[in-house]
């Protein structure tokens, strides 16, 4: 069913002025033909929800912007439309399983509906994008989510210079941790927690989105998977993917926290086999507290049997302080004040008696130490008065002979640990801030640095990606110094989409993007209004990458190493309409 009298922009669901179809807010035109493989903009679901443009898509389904005509507000609409298992009838928009895939389609549809119903029941837990409605239509199922003005956590981190302080991260993360722990008590495992599925609102509050069936978050399942390298746990990968549970989300939460406070994405789980290349968080940022770095390392263990088993355990370890082995953390709970996540145990009468006995023992110990100290002071006084001159003569003799020896034979007075590299061995610089390395006086005396720079999607700008020779290599010393080549990250290879793409001729747009070394494709989607002197007109810009497909606009950033731009264009009615892929 369609809406025949549009007064809203199908691109952003903002009101349109009478007689206008081009939105002044987002640049979308309601006259642009939609892709018949998806619900057409202007469609109506459940006689209530107006469907707009496609926002994202993945192996499980499609997400549209929408408008709830009863509540008079924007919404997000999630449609179950599994790739490789179904197709759409372009005449009536119904979704049907492909021949031979009926059983798989029905099983996954049941999983999708079960998840939607569960999310509808737990939406009051907090920090979850609320699910407002779920229903069947067009031979498939839908979920309607509350619309929020948000950005991704990854976007916030990038805008903040590549990382956040632990104090900032802790303030934002604790409510999210509490929410995920509550989800686990309701038997809901997310499996896709990442900087792309954790959203941030204008008040700095985190919201969890991107809930999906286990099939979407498991490699080699019935549908193309959506995994998040660096954040998806090892048990989600490969044909031997193992049992998933709360520990799977523990891994992801720790990885997201690691990224936030170090500025570096953890290595992909599959790449950590053999010699693990995950650096402790504190090695990347010395300001991170010991207990936080250790808690993240435990939560990021590859083996489930070694990994922190629950979000409650992870939270307790993140908040642990050196002076106590017990952590108390209270979170607001609707209608019931505060509920401690980990509570201090009450002392029994026997335990109280033991505490009193310990106090008496400590007093006795203090008296003993005092007497010993007095004896020691008396000995020092006697030594200074009567024996010091005898030792001065011996000391002068030893000093004279030792001055003739090489200074290399002197014992080290360094306070560094035994894990430090030995003479002529290279220390580890990977993951450290480049400026802190080259400005370190000790390193300046010991090393000659050669610097190379390259873009990286995993390592934030200014941090060291790799070094040559690697850590603990034994190398020749030239002119008293070791030469090390450092590869420093330039950050992501981002470039803005230039102005003048929309409404331009398709070939001119392609040339402009090619000059910026942006990979692009074009697609003819029908006929439309064409400026005089041209036969084609670009009407939309989309980006395709491993996370799916999303629409972008002039001035938005493109990652040249991971993104491909897709230009949708229309032709004049007199031109042949060919599809270019």
């Amino acid at each position: 069913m369609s809406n025949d009298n549009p007064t809203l922009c199908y691109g952003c669901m903002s009101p349109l002025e009478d007689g206008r179809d081009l939105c002044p807010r987002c640049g979308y035109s309601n006259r642009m033909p939609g892709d018949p493989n998806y619900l057409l903009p202007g469609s109506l679901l459940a006689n209530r929800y107006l469907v707009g443009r496609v926002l994202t898509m993945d192996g499980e389904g499609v997400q549209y912007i929408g408008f709830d005509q009863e509540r008079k507000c924007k919404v997000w609409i999630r449609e179950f439309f599994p790739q490789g298992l179904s197709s759409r009838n372009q005449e009536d928009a119904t979704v049907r399983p492909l021949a031979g895939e009926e059983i798989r389609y029905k099983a996954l549809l049941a999983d999708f509906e079960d998840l939607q119903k569960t999310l509808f029941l737990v939406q009051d837990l907090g920090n979850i994008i609320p699910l407002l409605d779920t229903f069947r239509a067009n031979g498939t199922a839908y979920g309607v989510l509350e619309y929020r003005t948000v950005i991704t956590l990854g976007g916030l981190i990038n805008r903040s210079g590549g990382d956040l302080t632990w104090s900032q991260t802790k303030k934002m993360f604790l409510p999210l941790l509490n929410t995920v722990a509550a989800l686990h008590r309701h038997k809901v495992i997310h499996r896709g927690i990442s900087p792309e599925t954790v959203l941030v609102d204008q008040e700095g509050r985190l919201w969890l989105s991107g809930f999906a069936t286990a099939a979407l978050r498991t490699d080699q399942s019935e549908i193309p998977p959506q995994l998040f390298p660096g954040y998806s746990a090892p048990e989600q990968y490969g044909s031997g993917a193992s049992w998933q549970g709360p520990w799977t989300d523990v891994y992801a939460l720790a990885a997201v926290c690691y990224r936030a406070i170090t500025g570096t994405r953890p290595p992909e789980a599959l790449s950590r086999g053999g010699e693990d290349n995950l650096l402790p968080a504190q090695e990347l940022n010395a300001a991170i507290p010991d207990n936080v770095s250790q808690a993240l390392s435990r939560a990021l263990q590859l083996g489930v049997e070694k990994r922190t088993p629950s979000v409650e355990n992870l939270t307790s370890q993140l908040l642990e302080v050196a002076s106590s082995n017990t952590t108390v953390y209270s979170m607001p709970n609707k209608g019931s004040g505060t509920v401690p996540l980990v509570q201090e145990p009450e002392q029994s009468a026997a335990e109280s008696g033991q505490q009193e006995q310990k106090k008496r023992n400590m007093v006795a110990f203090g008296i003993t130490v005092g007497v010993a100290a007095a004896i020691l002071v008396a000995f020092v006084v006697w030594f200074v008065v009567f024996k010091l001159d005898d030792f001065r003569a011996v000391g002068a003799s030893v000093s004279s002979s030792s001055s003739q020896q090489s200074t290399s034979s002197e014992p080290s007075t360094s306070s560094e640990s035994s894990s430090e590299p030995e003479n002529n061995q290279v220390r580890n610089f990977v993951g450290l801030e480049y400026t802190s390395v080259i400005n370190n006086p000790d390193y300046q005396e010991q090393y000659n640095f050669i610097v190379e720079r390259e873009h990286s999607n995993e390592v934030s700008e200014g941090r060291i990606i790799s070094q040559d020779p690697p850590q603990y290599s034994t190398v020749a010393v030239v002119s008293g110094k070791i030469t090390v080549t450092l590869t420093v990250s330039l950050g992501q290879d981002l470039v803005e989409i230039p102005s003048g793409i929309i409404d331009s001729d398709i070939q001119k747009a392609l040339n402009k993007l090619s000059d910026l070394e942006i990979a692009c494709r074009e697609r003819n989607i029908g006929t439309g209004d064409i400026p005089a002197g041209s036969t084609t007109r670009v009407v939309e810009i989309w980006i395709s990458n491993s996370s799916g497909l999303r629409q972008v606009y002039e001035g938005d950033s493109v990652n040249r190493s991971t993104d491909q731009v897709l230009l949708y264009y229309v032709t004049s009615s007199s031109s042949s309409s060919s599809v270019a892929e």
Side-chain angles (χ1 to χ4, degrees):
M1 184 175 180
S2 63
N3 179 44
D4 297 325
N5 185 26
T7 59
L8 297 174
C9 166
Y10 296 152
C12 64
M13 290 299 168
S14 298
L16 288 174
E17 297 179 12
D18 292 341
R20 295 190 63 172
D21 58 44
L22 185 66
C23 179
R25 293 174 178 82
C26 71
Y28 184 91
S29 173
N30 281 1
R31 298 182 63 182
M32 192 188 75
D35 189 333
N37 290 313
Y38 308 104
L39 290 177
L40 296 179
S43 301
L44 202 59
L45 291 172
N47 203 32
R48 173 177 177 177
Y49 302 108
L50 181 65
V51 178
R53 65 180 177 91
V54 173
L55 295 176
T56 60
M57 61 189 75
D58 51 51
E60 182 186 80
V62 185
Q63 187 152 312
Y64 309 84
I65 192 169
F67 189 83
D68 184 345
Q69 295 187 330
E70 289 187 13
R71 297 176 66 229
K72 306 299 181 184
C73 63
K74 298 180 186 181
V75 292
W76 287 313
I77 300 172
R78 175 76 170 170
E79 178 187 48
F80 179 72
F81 186 25
Q83 293 183 25
L85 298 182
S86 60
S87 63
R88 192 182 304 276
N89 185 324
Q90 297 185 358
E91 294 182 0
D92 60 9
T94 56
V95 176
R96 292 287 182 266
L98 298 176
E101 300 292 352
E102 293 84 0
I103 295 177
R104 288 186 178 183
Y105 178 87
K106 290 181 179 180
L108 285 178
L109 176 60
D111 290 344
F112 180 87
E113 289 185 301
D114 287 345
L115 176 62
Q116 300 301 305
K117 292 173 182 176
T118 302
L119 292 175
F120 188 77
L121 295 175
V122 301
Q123 60 181 300
D124 290 334
L125 291 178
N127 296 92
I128 301 172
I129 298 294
L131 182 72
L132 304 175
D133 195 6
T134 180
F135 56 89
R136 274 206 180 198
N138 298 331
T140 187
Y142 296 87
V144 179
L145 297 154
E146 185 174 300
Y147 179 89
R148 295 288 172 91
T149 302
V150 292
I151 63 172
T152 65
L153 177 61
L156 175 69
I157 294 172
N158 289 335
R159 292 183 185 184
S160 301
D163 57 10
L164 305 174
T165 67
W166 167 239
S167 178
Q168 292 171 320
T169 304
K170 178 172 64 173
K171 182 179 180 180
M172 290 192 300
F173 262 68
L174 290 181
L176 181 66
L177 290 168
N178 192 56
T179 295
V180 176
L183 283 172
H184 291 170
R185 291 193 288 273
H186 287 82
K187 310 302 181 185
V188 178
I189 310 300
H190 190 284
R191 300 181 176 87
I193 299 172
S194 76
E196 300 306 308
T197 56
V198 176
L199 309 177
V200 188
D201 66 17
Q202 294 169 316
E203 297 177 352
R205 186 177 181 182
L206 300 187
W207 295 92
L208 189 56
S209 69
F211 288 90
T213 59
L216 184 65
R217 299 288 160 69
T218 305
D219 195 18
Q220 301 185 22
S221 64
E222 302 94 325
I223 56 178
Q226 184 189 48
L227 298 176
F228 299 93
Y231 307 100
S232 295
E235 59 266 24
Q236 296 177 257
Y237 285 92
S239 57
S242 56
W243 185 255
Q244 300 165 22
W247 50 88
T248 305
D249 285 347
V250 166
Y251 187 99
L253 285 167
V256 173
C257 186
Y258 184 101
R259 165 69 179 89
I261 61 178
T262 67
T264 303
R265 188 188 74 179
E268 186 174 0
L270 290 182
S271 73
R272 294 176 55 196
E275 186 174 350
D276 195 349
N277 57 351
L278 176 71
L279 292 174
Q282 202 174 48
E283 287 193 20
L284 300 179
N285 182 351
I288 296 172
D290 290 343
N291 67 294
V292 173
S293 181
Q294 294 168 10
L296 295 180
S297 293
R298 286 191 289 266
L300 287 168
Q301 289 290 316
L302 294 175
V304 171
E305 69 284 353
K306 296 181 180 179
R307 192 184 310 159
T308 305
S310 70
V311 177
E312 289 92 342
N313 291 141
L314 173 60
T315 306
S316 179
Q317 292 171 20
L318 289 173
L319 296 178
E320 187 178 53
V321 292
S323 60
S324 172
N325 60 5
T326 306
T327 302
V328 177
Y329 167 55
S330 295
M331 276 300 299
N333 190 31
K334 287 190 175 182
S336 61
T338 59
V339 178
L341 197 62
V342 181
Q343 294 182 333
E344 290 277 11
E346 296 183 359
Q347 287 187 330
S348 65
E351 290 171 331
S352 179
Q354 291 173 358
Q355 292 293 331
E356 289 299 321
Q357 182 60 45
K358 287 181 179 179
K359 290 179 181 179
R360 290 193 291 270
N361 292 341
M362 289 300 295
V363 171
F365 176 76
I367 294 172
T368 302
V369 170
V371 172
I375 294 173
L376 179 60
V377 170
F379 172 80
V380 171
V381 171
W382 171 83
F383 175 86
V384 171
V385 173
F386 297 103
K387 292 293 182 181
L388 186 56
D389 287 340
D390 295 341
F391 280 87
R392 282 174 180 160
V394 176
S397 175
V398 172
S399 176
S400 175
S401 62
S402 62
S403 64
Q404 301 172 8
Q405 299 176 3
S406 170
T407 56
S408 64
S409 64
E410 293 179 0
S412 172
T413 58
S414 170
S415 60
E416 296 175 347
S417 66
S418 59
S419 62
E420 288 294 304
E422 298 177 358
N423 292 338
N424 296 2
Q425 284 191 336
V426 182
R427 68 174 58 242
N428 178 53
F429 297 108
V430 175
L432 301 180
E433 285 284 353
Y434 163 67
T435 54
S436 67
V437 171
I438 63 168
N439 292 327
N440 186 310
D442 293 337
Y443 298 163
Q444 291 173 354
E445 291 181 3
Q446 190 176 0
Y447 295 96
N448 283 318
F449 292 117
I450 300 173
V451 178
E452 298 177 352
R453 298 179 184 272
E454 65 181 44
H455 291 284
S456 172
N457 294 316
E458 291 78 29
V459 182
S460 59
E461 183 177 359
R463 292 190 182 275
I464 298 170
I465 303 172
S466 62
Q467 66 182 63
D468 183 30
Q471 180 184 16
Y472 296 138
S473 298
T474 301
V475 296
V477 177
V478 179
S479 299
K481 293 185 178 182
I482 299 173
T483 299
V484 177
T485 300
L486 302 177
T487 302
V488 181
S489 173
L490 290 171
Q492 298 183 30
D493 189 8
L494 301 179
V495 62
E496 287 188 358
I497 297 175
S499 59
I501 298 296
I502 295 295
D503 292 332
S504 73
D505 179 81
I506 181 63
Q507 192 56 52
K508 291 181 179 178
L510 290 172
N511 291 341
K512 187 174 288 190
L513 294 176
S514 296
D515 289 343
L516 294 173
E517 299 181 353
I518 299 175
C520 51
R521 294 183 301 160
E522 74 273 15
R523 182 173 183 180
N524 187 331
I525 56 175
T527 59
D529 294 333
I530 306 297
S534 180
T535 58
T536 61
R537 179 171 70 93
V538 177
V539 290
E540 278 196 359
I541 310 170
W542 288 68
I543 284 180
S544 174
N545 54 35
S546 60
S547 298
L549 190 67
R550 62 184 176 90
Q551 188 176 8
V552 295
Y553 303 94
E554 294 173 354
D556 287 348
S557 294
V558 178
N559 189 324
R560 286 187 289 200
S561 62
T562 60
D563 296 339
Q564 184 177 61
V565 170
L566 178 60
L567 299 179
Y568 286 87
Y569 71 96
V570 294
T571 58
S572 64
S573 57
S574 60
S575 301
S576 59
S577 57
S578 60
V579 177
E581 286 289 356

